[in-house]
Amino acid sequence: MIKVTLVGTGTVSDHLSQAFSNINSVRVIQILSSRNIVLTASLDQETDVYIIAVSDDAISSVSQEFIKSQKLVVHTSGSMSISALPARARRGIFYPLQTFSKGRKVDFSTIPICIEAEKLEDLELLKELAKAISNNIHSISSKQRASIHLSAVFVNNFTNHMFQIANRICNKNDVPFEILRPLITETAAKLEELTPFEAQTGPAKRNDHKTIEKHLSRLQNTTSKEVYQTLTKSIQETHGKEL
Amino acid sequence: MIKVTLVGTGTVSDHLSQAFSNINSVRVIQILSSRNIVLTASLDQETDVYIIAVSDDAISSVSQEFIKSQKLVVHTSGSMSISALPARARRGIFYPLQTFSKGRKVDFSTIPICIEAEKLEDLELLKELAKAISNNIHSISSKQRASIHLSAVFVNNFTNHMFQIANRICNKNDVPFEILRPLITETAAKLEELTPFEAQTGPAKRNDHKTIEKHLSRLQNTTSKEVYQTLTKSIQETHGKEL
């Protein structure tokens, strides 16, 4: 039985607490809001691991409170190094690589959990904890994790913004955005069989100036035009080298 | 029974011919390569509809060959207007809104088929043809279709390029690209419940300068840096207005 204290009451903490609640081998013994840590930290002597699921900027100060416990202290951030945690603590990382939204359920069993620790026994503990909720565990260094987080910005944040621009174009032209859903699903599903390089199609890849000009003239928003131009250039550079 | 002649031997023609082959109410009576049309066009008197599935630039000249037949002539392009077909022909559009790749099977039943025609009876014929392979039929004007095609460039071509940049970052840092798959799938699946505006997360949305700077310093490719900056600006403009 691994006993967990969750620190933070945001979306990641909520989803972890939900995921652990169905598991016999893990018990969440308390959930602390980062505001009342000092008051309650004395109650936690049974904890095996503190999971600090707070905003990046708060990790450093919040984690200070748990040094004395001599228990494992981990954070859940993709972008922060393990050294954001106090050097005197037993420290580690427990990073679930997924996009979480309040109220939307996710299937934890397929979510990659990136773990890192300085001591082998701590890594084993994190592996056990991760295995309790997921079949997709990776031992990842802080440097690798920074690359994963950067990549995640491209495949999630930026991709979602592509959907947002398309949504805006559809609204302006009385077309239901839903008509694009099968295309969006297939764009992601194609990666089961093809690399992104192989899957690339479209006017930029074909160097089809006529269509590119037509599209640019239809875009009224200056920044969307700039997005179109920059991405077209980037696709052409990527594929031009191989022609 | 609708009798179809497919003109063109590329990916769209292949996929349509495949889809129609399982349907009793449709028969593909011939598939013409755009190179031997003149030789064979005399053999096609039974055809009800000519589907011109050739490159955008070839639509106009290839379709000339079928004016005399007085049968319905349609093209399958997202970006070309109905007026790319000869004015003297009975003309229309049969545009399957999906990304097709050689060798990758797609489920046609969910693919939106955008149809357009100048005569009501021709629209009915196209509706019947579309219904034979899909449950997702839309009557769409050439102007609306141009917007859909532009939107499709964002949600497919540009999104796929986001995957490509992420793939490059992963390769350079010895991280398996596969680790991002569940995130990619969930990014698309979220749209079942949330609008892209609601689903947006990440450093650009949060205006998290520290993380943005960290990410920019990790990007070695100048154009990828430019992509990151342009998309960050575009997200901030989209969400800044609502703050």
Side-chain angles (χ1 to χ4, degrees):
Chain A
M1 163 81 73
I2 305 176
K3 277 164 265 163
V4 172
T5 291
L6 281 167
V7 184
T9 53
T11 317
V12 173
S13 170
D14 279 0
H15 277 90
L16 283 176
S17 130
Q18 188 71 38
F20 289 136
S21 71
N22 304 317
I23 307 294
N24 288 329
S25 59
V26 178
R27 202 167 82 210
V28 177
I29 58 168
Q30 55 184 347
I31 301 173
L32 304 179
S33 127
S34 52
R35 265 161 275 126
N36 61 11
I37 290 166
V38 183
L39 289 171
T40 55
S42 56
L43 304 169
D44 60 25
Q45 288 159 1
E46 285 187 43
T47 296
D48 295 308
V49 52
Y50 291 93
I51 302 183
I52 316 284
V54 300
S55 68
D56 287 358
D57 284 345
I59 289 173
S60 183
S61 66
V62 166
S63 57
Q64 296 290 338
E65 306 296 331
F66 304 98
I67 300 176
K68 271 189 248 164
S69 74
Q70 295 186 302
K71 302 294 172 61
L72 181 56
V73 181
V74 303
H75 74 64
T76 60
S77 163
S79 67
M80 300 297 281
S81 161
I82 196 170
S83 61
L85 298 167
R88 283 183 302 144
R90 274 171 58 198
R91 55 192 184 175
I93 305 293
F94 192 87
Y95 170 50
L97 174 51
Q98 190 49 284
T99 168
F100 298 107
S101 295
K102 279 241 184 288
R104 178 164 165 87
K105 276 202 182 164
V106 290
D107 171 14
F108 251 96
S109 67
T110 60
I111 295 181
I113 314 246
C114 302
I115 55 172
E116 180 182 1
E118 292 172 313
K119 289 179 185 164
L120 195 59
E121 57 183 291
D122 292 340
L123 195 67
E124 289 303 320
L125 179 63
L126 291 178
K127 200 177 283 177
E128 210 182 318
L129 188 64
K131 273 188 181 161
I133 52 174
S134 167
N135 304 313
N136 198 351
I137 322 295
H138 299 261
S139 178
I140 293 283
S141 72
S142 282
K143 195 171 164 236
Q144 285 176 310
R145 191 160 33 80
S147 305
I148 292 173
H149 187 255
L150 173 58
S151 302
V153 165
F154 280 90
V155 304
N156 173 261
N157 303 165
F158 291 167
T159 288
N160 184 71
H161 188 58
M162 298 298 103
F163 303 160
Q164 164 67 22
I165 294 178
N167 197 358
R168 200 153 52 197
I169 297 168
C170 287
N171 285 345
K172 274 195 187 156
N173 293 279
D174 271 330
V175 171
F177 177 64
E178 286 63 38
I179 206 174
L180 295 169
R181 284 254 194 88
L183 179 60
I184 289 172
T185 306
E186 174 67 6
T187 302
K190 260 190 168 181
L191 297 183
E192 289 158 21
E193 292 182 20
L194 302 172
T195 66
F197 189 88
E198 292 164 338
Q200 190 67 54
T201 58
K205 159 92 185 288
R206 287 197 308 275
N207 214 354
D208 173 352
H209 291 291
K210 250 192 254 178
T211 304
I212 292 169
E213 285 311 315
K214 237 193 273 183
H215 283 168
L216 285 172
S217 73
R218 291 192 73 81
L219 282 167
Q220 283 146 16
N221 180 300
T222 320
T223 306
S224 297
K225 232 188 245 280
E226 205 182 315
V227 167
Y228 189 104
Q229 283 165 323
T230 306
L231 293 179
T232 294
K233 183 174 91 171
S234 186
I235 291 172
Q236 289 179 332
E237 283 182 14
T238 303
H239 289 269
K241 283 170 196 154
E242 318 287 320
L243 285 176
Chain B
M1 163 82 74
I2 305 175
K3 277 163 265 162
V4 172
T5 292
L6 281 168
V7 184
T9 52
T11 318
V12 173
S13 170
D14 279 359
H15 277 91
L16 283 176
S17 128
Q18 188 72 38
F20 288 136
S21 71
N22 305 316
I23 308 294
N24 288 329
S25 59
V26 178
R27 202 166 82 210
V28 177
I29 59 169
Q30 55 184 346
I31 302 173
L32 304 179
S33 127
S34 52
R35 262 159 278 128
N36 61 13
I37 291 165
V38 184
L39 289 171
T40 56
S42 55
L43 304 169
D44 59 27
Q45 289 159 0
E46 283 187 45
T47 296
D48 296 307
V49 52
Y50 293 93
I51 302 183
I52 316 284
V54 300
S55 68
D56 287 357
D57 284 346
I59 289 173
S60 182
S61 65
V62 167
S63 56
Q64 296 290 339
E65 306 295 332
F66 304 98
I67 300 176
K68 271 189 251 167
S69 73
Q70 295 186 302
K71 302 295 173 60
L72 181 56
V73 181
V74 303
H75 73 64
T76 60
S77 164
S79 68
M80 300 297 280
S81 161
I82 195 169
S83 62
L85 297 167
R88 285 183 301 143
R90 274 172 57 199
R91 52 192 185 176
I93 305 293
F94 192 88
Y95 169 50
L97 173 51
Q98 189 49 285
T99 168
F100 298 107
S101 295
K102 278 241 185 290
R104 176 163 167 88
K105 277 202 180 162
V106 289
D107 172 13
F108 251 95
S109 67
T110 60
I111 295 181
I113 313 246
C114 302
I115 56 173
E116 180 181 1
E118 291 171 314
K119 290 180 186 165
L120 195 59
E121 57 183 290
D122 292 341
L123 195 66
E124 289 303 320
L125 180 62
L126 291 178
K127 201 178 282 176
E128 208 182 321
L129 188 63
K131 272 189 182 162
I133 52 172
S134 167
N135 305 312
N136 198 352
I137 322 296
H138 300 261
S139 177
I140 293 284
S141 71
S142 282
K143 197 173 160 233
Q144 285 176 310
R145 191 159 33 79
S147 305
I148 293 175
H149 188 254
L150 173 57
S151 302
V153 165
F154 280 90
V155 306
N156 173 260
N157 302 165
F158 290 167
T159 288
N160 184 72
H161 188 57
M162 298 299 104
F163 303 160
Q164 164 67 21
I165 294 178
N167 197 358
R168 201 153 52 197
I169 297 168
C170 287
N171 285 345
K172 274 196 187 155
N173 293 278
D174 270 330
V175 170
F177 177 63
E178 286 64 37
I179 206 173
L180 295 170
R181 285 256 194 84
L183 178 61
I184 288 171
T185 307
E186 173 66 8
T187 301
K190 260 190 169 181
L191 297 183
E192 289 158 23
E193 293 182 20
L194 302 171
T195 66
F197 189 88
E198 293 164 337
Q200 190 66 54
T201 58
K205 159 92 184 290
R206 288 196 309 275
N207 214 355
D208 174 352
H209 292 291
K210 250 193 253 178
T211 304
I212 293 169
E213 286 310 316
K214 237 194 269 183
H215 282 167
L216 285 171
S217 74
R218 292 191 73 81
L219 282 167
Q220 283 147 16
N221 181 300
T222 320
T223 305
S224 297
K225 231 188 246 280
E226 206 181 314
V227 167
Y228 189 104
Q229 281 164 324
T230 306
L231 293 178
T232 294
K233 183 175 89 172
S234 185
I235 291 172
Q236 288 178 334
E237 282 182 15
T238 302
H239 288 270
K241 283 170 197 156
E242 319 287 322
L243 285 178

